[in-house]
PDB file of all heavy atoms in Angstrom:
ATOM      1  N   ILE A  23       0.847  -1.203   0.000  1.00  0.00           N
ATOM      2  CA  ILE A  23       0.000   0.000  -0.001  1.00  0.00           C
ATOM      3  C   ILE A  23       0.884   1.255   0.000  1.00  0.00           C
ATOM      4  O   ILE A  23       0.631   2.208  -0.740  1.00  0.00           O
ATOM      5  CB  ILE A  23      -0.953  -0.008   1.215  1.00  0.00           C
ATOM      6  CG1 ILE A  23      -2.003  -1.098   1.040  1.00  0.00           C
ATOM      7  CG2 ILE A  23      -1.604   1.359   1.406  1.00  0.00           C
ATOM      8  CD1 ILE A  23      -2.833  -1.363   2.289  1.00  0.00           C
ATOM      9  N   LEU A  24       1.938   1.250   0.825  1.00  0.00           N
ATOM     10  CA  LEU A  24       2.838   2.417   0.885  1.00  0.00           C
ATOM     11  C   LEU A  24       3.600   2.607  -0.418  1.00  0.00           C
ATOM     12  O   LEU A  24       3.910   3.732  -0.804  1.00  0.00           O
ATOM     13  CB  LEU A  24       3.800   2.278   2.066  1.00  0.00           C
ATOM     14  CG  LEU A  24       3.148   2.394   3.444  1.00  0.00           C
ATOM     15  CD1 LEU A  24       4.155   2.087   4.540  1.00  0.00           C
ATOM     16  CD2 LEU A  24       2.530   3.764   3.640  1.00  0.00           C
ATOM     17  N   GLU A  25       3.919   1.510  -1.088  1.00  0.00           N
ATOM     18  CA  GLU A  25       4.568   1.620  -2.390  1.00  0.00           C
ATOM     19  C   GLU A  25       3.613   2.221  -3.415  1.00  0.00           C
ATOM     20  O   GLU A  25       4.016   2.969  -4.298  1.00  0.00           O
ATOM     21  CB  GLU A  25       5.070   0.243  -2.854  1.00  0.00           C
ATOM     22  CG  GLU A  25       6.301  -0.222  -2.094  1.00  0.00           C
ATOM     23  CD  GLU A  25       6.695  -1.648  -2.426  1.00  0.00           C
ATOM     24  OE1 GLU A  25       5.914  -2.382  -3.075  1.00  0.00           O
ATOM     25  OE2 GLU A  25       7.802  -2.054  -2.011  1.00  0.00           O
ATOM     26  N   GLN A  26       2.339   1.903  -3.296  1.00  0.00           N
ATOM     27  CA  GLN A  26       1.335   2.449  -4.220  1.00  0.00           C
ATOM     28  C   GLN A  26       0.983   3.897  -3.882  1.00  0.00           C
ATOM     29  O   GLN A  26       0.569   4.655  -4.750  1.00  0.00           O
ATOM     30  CB  GLN A  26       0.061   1.579  -4.187  1.00  0.00           C
ATOM     31  CG  GLN A  26       0.259   0.182  -4.726  1.00  0.00           C
ATOM     32  CD  GLN A  26      -0.942  -0.723  -4.460  1.00  0.00           C
ATOM     33  OE1 GLN A  26      -1.939  -0.307  -3.881  1.00  0.00           O
ATOM     34  NE2 GLN A  26      -0.826  -1.986  -4.878  1.00  0.00           N
ATOM     35  N   HIS A  27       1.140   4.264  -2.624  1.00  0.00           N
ATOM     36  CA  HIS A  27       0.795   5.615  -2.164  1.00  0.00           C
ATOM     37  C   HIS A  27       1.985   6.220  -1.408  1.00  0.00           C
ATOM     38  O   HIS A  27       1.979   6.310  -0.186  1.00  0.00           O
ATOM     39  CB  HIS A  27      -0.439   5.575  -1.240  1.00  0.00           C
ATOM     40  CG  HIS A  27      -1.651   5.015  -1.890  1.00  0.00           C
ATOM     41  ND1 HIS A  27      -2.451   5.761  -2.705  1.00  0.00           N
ATOM     42  CD2 HIS A  27      -2.193   3.758  -1.853  1.00  0.00           C
ATOM     43  CE1 HIS A  27      -3.459   4.998  -3.137  1.00  0.00           C
ATOM     44  NE2 HIS A  27      -3.309   3.782  -2.642  1.00  0.00           N
ATOM     45  N   PRO A  28       3.021   6.657  -2.129  1.00  0.00           N
ATOM     46  CA  PRO A  28       4.219   7.177  -1.462  1.00  0.00           C
ATOM     47  C   PRO A  28       3.918   8.375  -0.562  1.00  0.00           C
ATOM     48  O   PRO A  28       4.616   8.596   0.422  1.00  0.00           O
ATOM     49  CB  PRO A  28       5.143   7.578  -2.612  1.00  0.00           C
ATOM     50  CG  PRO A  28       4.519   7.098  -3.853  1.00  0.00           C
ATOM     51  CD  PRO A  28       3.134   6.657  -3.560  1.00  0.00           C
ATOM     52  N   ASP A  29       2.865   9.126  -0.879  1.00  0.00           N
ATOM     53  CA  ASP A  29       2.529  10.285  -0.060  1.00  0.00           C
ATOM     54  C   ASP A  29       2.060   9.884   1.341  1.00  0.00           C
ATOM     55  O   ASP A  29       2.088  10.686   2.271  1.00  0.00           O
ATOM     56  CB  ASP A  29       1.471  11.142  -0.767  1.00  0.00           C
ATOM     57  CG  ASP A  29       0.261  10.327  -1.195  1.00  0.00           C
ATOM     58  OD1 ASP A  29       0.454   9.237  -1.763  1.00  0.00           O
ATOM     59  OD2 ASP A  29      -0.871  10.790  -0.951  1.00  0.00           O
ATOM     60  N   TRP A  30       1.652   8.653   1.538  1.00  0.00           N
ATOM     61  CA  TRP A  30       1.210   8.181   2.847  1.00  0.00           C
ATOM     62  C   TRP A  30       2.400   7.852   3.759  1.00  0.00           C
ATOM     63  O   TRP A  30       2.257   7.758   4.974  1.00  0.00           O
ATOM     64  CB  TRP A  30       0.338   6.941   2.703  1.00  0.00           C
ATOM     65  CG  TRP A  30      -0.995   7.184   2.045  1.00  0.00           C
ATOM     66  CD1 TRP A  30      -1.472   8.358   1.546  1.00  0.00           C
ATOM     67  CD2 TRP A  30      -2.003   6.217   1.814  1.00  0.00           C
ATOM     68  NE1 TRP A  30      -2.724   8.191   1.005  1.00  0.00           N
ATOM     69  CE2 TRP A  30      -3.084   6.861   1.156  1.00  0.00           C
ATOM     70  CE3 TRP A  30      -2.119   4.854   2.073  1.00  0.00           C
ATOM     71  CZ2 TRP A  30      -4.242   6.205   0.774  1.00  0.00           C
ATOM     72  CZ3 TRP A  30      -3.278   4.203   1.697  1.00  0.00           C
ATOM     73  CH2 TRP A  30      -4.337   4.880   1.050  1.00  0.00           C
ATOM     74  N   ARG A  31       3.571   7.676   3.168  1.00  0.00           N
ATOM     75  CA  ARG A  31       4.758   7.307   3.948  1.00  0.00           C
ATOM     76  C   ARG A  31       5.079   8.359   5.010  1.00  0.00           C
ATOM     77  O   ARG A  31       5.434   8.021   6.130  1.00  0.00           O
ATOM     78  CB  ARG A  31       5.967   7.131   3.035  1.00  0.00           C
ATOM     79  CG  ARG A  31       5.882   5.925   2.164  1.00  0.00           C
ATOM     80  CD  ARG A  31       7.112   5.821   1.295  1.00  0.00           C
ATOM     81  NE  ARG A  31       6.856   4.871   0.220  1.00  0.00           N
ATOM     82  CZ  ARG A  31       7.640   4.694  -0.814  1.00  0.00           C
ATOM     83  NH1 ARG A  31       8.745   5.414  -0.919  1.00  0.00           N
ATOM     84  NH2 ARG A  31       7.344   3.817  -1.746  1.00  0.00           N
ATOM     85  N   GLU A  32       4.951   9.620   4.638  1.00  0.00           N
ATOM     86  CA  GLU A  32       5.260  10.686   5.589  1.00  0.00           C
ATOM     87  C   GLU A  32       4.333  10.620   6.797  1.00  0.00           C
ATOM     88  O   GLU A  32       4.770  10.805   7.937  1.00  0.00           O
ATOM     89  CB  GLU A  32       5.171  12.061   4.917  1.00  0.00           C
ATOM     90  CG  GLU A  32       5.607  13.206   5.816  1.00  0.00           C
ATOM     91  CD  GLU A  32       7.036  13.073   6.317  1.00  0.00           C
ATOM     92  OE1 GLU A  32       7.902  12.516   5.609  1.00  0.00           O
ATOM     93  OE2 GLU A  32       7.283  13.530   7.452  1.00  0.00           O
ATOM     94  N   GLY A  33       3.071  10.344   6.567  1.00  0.00           N
ATOM     95  CA  GLY A  33       2.136  10.197   7.680  1.00  0.00           C
ATOM     96  C   GLY A  33       2.529   9.058   8.600  1.00  0.00           C
ATOM     97  O   GLY A  33       2.455   9.175   9.834  1.00  0.00           O
ATOM     98  N   LEU A  34       2.954   7.949   8.011  1.00  0.00           N
ATOM     99  CA  LEU A  34       3.387   6.806   8.814  1.00  0.00           C
ATOM    100  C   LEU A  34       4.654   7.148   9.593  1.00  0.00           C
ATOM    101  O   LEU A  34       4.782   6.809  10.767  1.00  0.00           O
ATOM    102  CB  LEU A  34       3.614   5.586   7.922  1.00  0.00           C
ATOM    103  CG  LEU A  34       4.022   4.302   8.644  1.00  0.00           C
ATOM    104  CD1 LEU A  34       2.932   3.871   9.621  1.00  0.00           C
ATOM    105  CD2 LEU A  34       4.303   3.200   7.639  1.00  0.00           C
ATOM    106  N   ARG A  35       5.578   7.851   8.938  1.00  0.00           N
ATOM    107  CA  ARG A  35       6.799   8.276   9.629  1.00  0.00           C
ATOM    108  C   ARG A  35       6.460   9.115  10.858  1.00  0.00           C
ATOM    109  O   ARG A  35       7.055   8.946  11.920  1.00  0.00           O
ATOM    110  CB  ARG A  35       7.678   9.113   8.689  1.00  0.00           C
ATOM    111  CG  ARG A  35       8.580   8.326   7.825  1.00  0.00           C
ATOM    112  CD  ARG A  35       9.572   9.247   7.100  1.00  0.00           C
ATOM    113  NE  ARG A  35      10.037   8.577   5.921  1.00  0.00           N
ATOM    114  CZ  ARG A  35       9.664   8.858   4.687  1.00  0.00           C
ATOM    115  NH1 ARG A  35       8.841   9.845   4.435  1.00  0.00           N
ATOM    116  NH2 ARG A  35      10.130   8.159   3.669  1.00  0.00           N
ATOM    117  N   GLN A  36       5.542  10.059  10.693  1.00  0.00           N
ATOM    118  CA  GLN A  36       5.146  10.937  11.798  1.00  0.00           C
ATOM    119  C   GLN A  36       4.608  10.132  12.978  1.00  0.00           C
ATOM    120  O   GLN A  36       4.800  10.508  14.129  1.00  0.00           O
ATOM    121  CB  GLN A  36       4.093  11.950  11.338  1.00  0.00           C
ATOM    122  CG  GLN A  36       4.570  12.920  10.271  1.00  0.00           C
ATOM    123  CD  GLN A  36       5.614  13.891  10.788  1.00  0.00           C
ATOM    124  OE1 GLN A  36       5.576  14.307  11.925  1.00  0.00           O
ATOM    125  NE2 GLN A  36       6.559  14.241   9.920  1.00  0.00           N
ATOM    126  N   LEU A  37       3.908   9.028  12.682  1.00  0.00           N
ATOM    127  CA  LEU A  37       3.332   8.198  13.743  1.00  0.00           C
ATOM    128  C   LEU A  37       4.366   7.289  14.397  1.00  0.00           C
ATOM    129  O   LEU A  37       4.301   7.024  15.598  1.00  0.00           O
ATOM    130  CB  LEU A  37       2.187   7.341  13.192  1.00  0.00           C
ATOM    131  CG  LEU A  37       0.937   8.091  12.744  1.00  0.00           C
ATOM    132  CD1 LEU A  37      -0.021   7.140  12.043  1.00  0.00           C
ATOM    133  CD2 LEU A  37       0.269   8.742  13.947  1.00  0.00           C
ATOM    134  N   VAL A  38       5.322   6.802  13.618  1.00  0.00           N
ATOM    135  CA  VAL A  38       6.250   5.782  14.102  1.00  0.00           C
ATOM    136  C   VAL A  38       7.515   6.394  14.718  1.00  0.00           C
ATOM    137  O   VAL A  38       7.990   5.920  15.748  1.00  0.00           O
ATOM    138  CB  VAL A  38       6.632   4.821  12.952  1.00  0.00           C
ATOM    139  CG1 VAL A  38       7.706   3.847  13.380  1.00  0.00           C
ATOM    140  CG2 VAL A  38       5.402   4.075  12.464  1.00  0.00           C
ATOM    141  N   LEU A  39       8.026   7.434  14.111  1.00  0.00           N
ATOM    142  CA  LEU A  39       9.313   7.989  14.559  1.00  0.00           C
ATOM    143  C   LEU A  39       9.114   9.117  15.570  1.00  0.00           C
ATOM    144  O   LEU A  39       8.126   9.842  15.531  1.00  0.00           O
ATOM    145  CB  LEU A  39      10.102   8.504  13.356  1.00  0.00           C
ATOM    146  CG  LEU A  39      10.408   7.477  12.273  1.00  0.00           C
ATOM    147  CD1 LEU A  39      11.117   8.129  11.109  1.00  0.00           C
ATOM    148  CD2 LEU A  39      11.228   6.326  12.819  1.00  0.00           C
ATOM    149  N   THR A  40      10.120   9.292  16.431  1.00  0.00           N
ATOM    150  CA  THR A  40      10.091  10.398  17.390  1.00  0.00           C
ATOM    151  C   THR A  40      10.479  11.691  16.669  1.00  0.00           C
ATOM    152  O   THR A  40      11.064  11.663  15.575  1.00  0.00           O
ATOM    153  CB  THR A  40      11.086  10.148  18.537  1.00  0.00           C
ATOM    154  OG1 THR A  40      12.418  10.163  17.987  1.00  0.00           O
ATOM    155  CG2 THR A  40      10.813   8.827  19.233  1.00  0.00           C
ATOM    156  N   GLN A  41      10.194  12.803  17.308  1.00  0.00           N
ATOM    157  CA  GLN A  41      10.564  14.091  16.724  1.00  0.00           C
ATOM    158  C   GLN A  41      12.078  14.215  16.560  1.00  0.00           C
ATOM    159  O   GLN A  41      12.558  14.809  15.604  1.00  0.00           O
ATOM    160  CB  GLN A  41      10.030  15.251  17.585  1.00  0.00           C
ATOM    161  CG  GLN A  41       8.534  15.427  17.485  1.00  0.00           C
ATOM    162  CD  GLN A  41       8.092  15.682  16.045  1.00  0.00           C
ATOM    163  OE1 GLN A  41       8.674  16.474  15.323  1.00  0.00           O
ATOM    164  NE2 GLN A  41       7.042  14.983  15.641  1.00  0.00           N
ATOM    165  N   ASP A  42      12.833  13.648  17.486  1.00  0.00           N
ATOM    166  CA  ASP A  42      14.295  13.676  17.378  1.00  0.00           C
ATOM    167  C   ASP A  42      14.760  12.952  16.117  1.00  0.00           C
ATOM    168  O   ASP A  42      15.644  13.425  15.408  1.00  0.00           O
ATOM    169  CB  ASP A  42      14.943  13.025  18.603  1.00  0.00           C
ATOM    170  CG  ASP A  42      14.812  13.881  19.850  1.00  0.00           C
ATOM    171  OD1 ASP A  42      14.565  15.096  19.715  1.00  0.00           O
ATOM    172  OD2 ASP A  42      14.955  13.332  20.959  1.00  0.00           O
ATOM    173  N   LEU A  43      14.177  11.805  15.842  1.00  0.00           N
ATOM    174  CA  LEU A  43      14.559  11.061  14.636  1.00  0.00           C
ATOM    175  C   LEU A  43      14.099  11.781  13.371  1.00  0.00           C
ATOM    176  O   LEU A  43      14.806  11.783  12.360  1.00  0.00           O
ATOM    177  CB  LEU A  43      13.987   9.643  14.667  1.00  0.00           C
ATOM    178  CG  LEU A  43      14.644   8.699  15.673  1.00  0.00           C
ATOM    179  CD1 LEU A  43      13.911   7.365  15.701  1.00  0.00           C
ATOM    180  CD2 LEU A  43      16.109   8.496  15.353  1.00  0.00           C
ATOM    181  N   LEU A  44      12.937  12.403  13.428  1.00  0.00           N
ATOM    182  CA  LEU A  44      12.450  13.139  12.271  1.00  0.00           C
ATOM    183  C   LEU A  44      13.320  14.367  11.987  1.00  0.00           C
ATOM    184  O   LEU A  44      13.484  14.767  10.836  1.00  0.00           O
ATOM    185  CB  LEU A  44      10.991  13.560  12.478  1.00  0.00           C
ATOM    186  CG  LEU A  44       9.977  12.420  12.494  1.00  0.00           C
ATOM    187  CD1 LEU A  44       8.623  12.919  12.960  1.00  0.00           C
ATOM    188  CD2 LEU A  44       9.877  11.768  11.127  1.00  0.00           C
ATOM    189  N   ALA A  45      13.887  14.939  13.045  1.00  0.00           N
ATOM    190  CA  ALA A  45      14.728  16.131  12.890  1.00  0.00           C
ATOM    191  C   ALA A  45      16.144  15.782  12.437  1.00  0.00           C
ATOM    192  O   ALA A  45      16.876  16.659  11.966  1.00  0.00           O
ATOM    193  CB  ALA A  45      14.782  16.900  14.202  1.00  0.00           C
ATOM    194  N   LEU A  46      16.518  14.541  12.545  1.00  0.00           N
ATOM    195  CA  LEU A  46      17.889  14.124  12.257  1.00  0.00           C
ATOM    196  C   LEU A  46      18.378  14.488  10.846  1.00  0.00           C
ATOM    197  O   LEU A  46      19.504  14.988  10.713  1.00  0.00           O
ATOM    198  CB  LEU A  46      18.031  12.628  12.512  1.00  0.00           C
ATOM    199  CG  LEU A  46      19.437  12.073  12.547  1.00  0.00           C
ATOM    200  CD1 LEU A  46      20.295  12.806  13.559  1.00  0.00           C
ATOM    201  CD2 LEU A  46      19.403  10.585  12.855  1.00  0.00           C
ATOM    202  N   PRO A  47      17.610  14.292   9.778  1.00  0.00           N
ATOM    203  CA  PRO A  47      18.119  14.663   8.452  1.00  0.00           C
ATOM    204  C   PRO A  47      18.497  16.147   8.351  1.00  0.00           C
ATOM    205  O   PRO A  47      19.541  16.487   7.789  1.00  0.00           O
ATOM    206  CB  PRO A  47      16.966  14.318   7.504  1.00  0.00           C
ATOM    207  CG  PRO A  47      16.220  13.239   8.218  1.00  0.00           C
ATOM    208  CD  PRO A  47      16.325  13.588   9.674  1.00  0.00           C
ATOM    209  N   GLN A  48      17.694  17.027   8.933  1.00  0.00           N
ATOM    210  CA  GLN A  48      18.014  18.457   8.888  1.00  0.00           C
ATOM    211  C   GLN A  48      19.246  18.753   9.736  1.00  0.00           C
ATOM    212  O   GLN A  48      20.093  19.577   9.350  1.00  0.00           O
ATOM    213  CB  GLN A  48      16.832  19.312   9.363  1.00  0.00           C
ATOM    214  CG  GLN A  48      17.073  20.800   9.222  1.00  0.00           C
ATOM    215  CD  GLN A  48      17.337  21.207   7.783  1.00  0.00           C
ATOM    216  OE1 GLN A  48      16.634  20.810   6.874  1.00  0.00           O
ATOM    217  NE2 GLN A  48      18.354  22.021   7.573  1.00  0.00           N
ATOM    218  N   ILE A  49      19.362  18.075  10.853  1.00  0.00           N
ATOM    219  CA  ILE A  49      20.534  18.263  11.700  1.00  0.00           C
ATOM    220  C   ILE A  49      21.794  17.863  10.948  1.00  0.00           C
ATOM    221  O   ILE A  49      22.810  18.566  10.988  1.00  0.00           O
ATOM    222  CB  ILE A  49      20.385  17.452  13.008  1.00  0.00           C
ATOM    223  CG1 ILE A  49      19.279  18.060  13.874  1.00  0.00           C
ATOM    224  CG2 ILE A  49      21.700  17.380  13.776  1.00  0.00           C
ATOM    225  CD1 ILE A  49      18.869  17.198  15.059  1.00  0.00           C
ATOM    226  N   VAL A  50      21.745  16.760  10.235  1.00  0.00           N
ATOM    227  CA  VAL A  50      22.905  16.302   9.454  1.00  0.00           C
ATOM    228  C   VAL A  50      23.225  17.293   8.336  1.00  0.00           C
ATOM    229  O   VAL A  50      24.393  17.618   8.095  1.00  0.00           O
ATOM    230  CB  VAL A  50      22.662  14.875   8.898  1.00  0.00           C
ATOM    231  CG1 VAL A  50      23.739  14.480   7.910  1.00  0.00           C
ATOM    232  CG2 VAL A  50      22.580  13.881  10.041  1.00  0.00           C
ATOM    233  N   ARG A  51      22.193  17.815   7.662  1.00  0.00           N
ATOM    234  CA  ARG A  51      22.434  18.818   6.615  1.00  0.00           C
ATOM    235  C   ARG A  51      23.080  20.070   7.203  1.00  0.00           C
ATOM    236  O   ARG A  51      24.028  20.614   6.626  1.00  0.00           O
ATOM    237  CB  ARG A  51      21.120  19.171   5.906  1.00  0.00           C
ATOM    238  CG  ARG A  51      20.648  18.111   4.916  1.00  0.00           C
ATOM    239  CD  ARG A  51      19.487  18.614   4.057  1.00  0.00           C
ATOM    240  NE  ARG A  51      18.259  18.788   4.825  1.00  0.00           N
ATOM    241  CZ  ARG A  51      17.367  17.834   5.069  1.00  0.00           C
ATOM    242  NH1 ARG A  51      17.561  16.611   4.595  1.00  0.00           N
ATOM    243  NH2 ARG A  51      16.272  18.089   5.758  1.00  0.00           N
ATOM    244  N   ASP A  52      22.569  20.508   8.346  1.00  0.00           N
ATOM    245  CA  ASP A  52      23.144  21.695   9.000  1.00  0.00           C
ATOM    246  C   ASP A  52      24.592  21.444   9.406  1.00  0.00           C
ATOM    247  O   ASP A  52      25.451  22.313   9.229  1.00  0.00           O
ATOM    248  CB  ASP A  52      22.323  22.082  10.234  1.00  0.00           C
ATOM    249  CG  ASP A  52      20.933  22.582   9.887  1.00  0.00           C
ATOM    250  OD1 ASP A  52      20.668  22.886   8.701  1.00  0.00           O
ATOM    251  OD2 ASP A  52      20.088  22.656  10.822  1.00  0.00           O
ATOM    252  N   LEU A  53      24.850  20.265   9.925  1.00  0.00           N
ATOM    253  CA  LEU A  53      26.208  19.909  10.320  1.00  0.00           C
ATOM    254  C   LEU A  53      27.148  19.890   9.119  1.00  0.00           C
ATOM    255  O   LEU A  53      28.276  20.402   9.182  1.00  0.00           O
ATOM    256  CB  LEU A  53      26.208  18.552  11.018  1.00  0.00           C
ATOM    257  CG  LEU A  53      27.549  18.039  11.520  1.00  0.00           C
ATOM    258  CD1 LEU A  53      28.154  18.998  12.522  1.00  0.00           C
ATOM    259  CD2 LEU A  53      27.375  16.658  12.136  1.00  0.00           C
ATOM    260  N   ALA A  54      26.693  19.321   8.019  1.00  0.00           N
ATOM    261  CA  ALA A  54      27.510  19.272   6.800  1.00  0.00           C
ATOM    262  C   ALA A  54      27.803  20.679   6.295  1.00  0.00           C
ATOM    263  O   ALA A  54      28.932  20.975   5.877  1.00  0.00           O
ATOM    264  CB  ALA A  54      26.805  18.451   5.723  1.00  0.00           C
ATOM    265  N   GLU A  55      26.818  21.562   6.349  1.00  0.00           N
ATOM    266  CA  GLU A  55      27.019  22.949   5.911  1.00  0.00           C
ATOM    267  C   GLU A  55      28.010  23.662   6.829  1.00  0.00           C
ATOM    268  O   GLU A  55      28.891  24.382   6.366  1.00  0.00           O
ATOM    269  CB  GLU A  55      25.682  23.699   5.883  1.00  0.00           C
ATOM    270  CG  GLU A  55      25.795  25.154   5.518  1.00  0.00           C
ATOM    271  CD  GLU A  55      26.410  25.422   4.149  1.00  0.00           C
ATOM    272  OE1 GLU A  55      26.407  24.524   3.280  1.00  0.00           O
ATOM    273  OE2 GLU A  55      26.919  26.529   3.935  1.00  0.00           O
TER     274      GLU A  55
END
């Protein structure tokens, strides 16, 4: 279902992952910059 509806993945991420984990990609980008 998620493969058929990629836009639903973000909703699932929001439910499953903590805010710290969700913030991690931006933190890594900021660190790289």
Side-chain angles (χ1 to χ4, degrees):
I23 290 169
L24 291 174
E25 286 173 348
Q26 294 170 1
H27 300 279
D29 52 314
W30 292 2
R31 290 180 195 170
E32 185 59 32
L34 182 61
R35 274 189 203 105
Q36 297 292 325
L37 293 172
V38 174
L39 302 177
T40 65
Q41 288 302 314
D42 288 341
L43 288 175
L44 292 169
L46 192 55
Q48 185 60 47
I49 291 169
V50 171
R51 284 190 291 274
D52 293 346
L53 181 60
E55 177 59 21

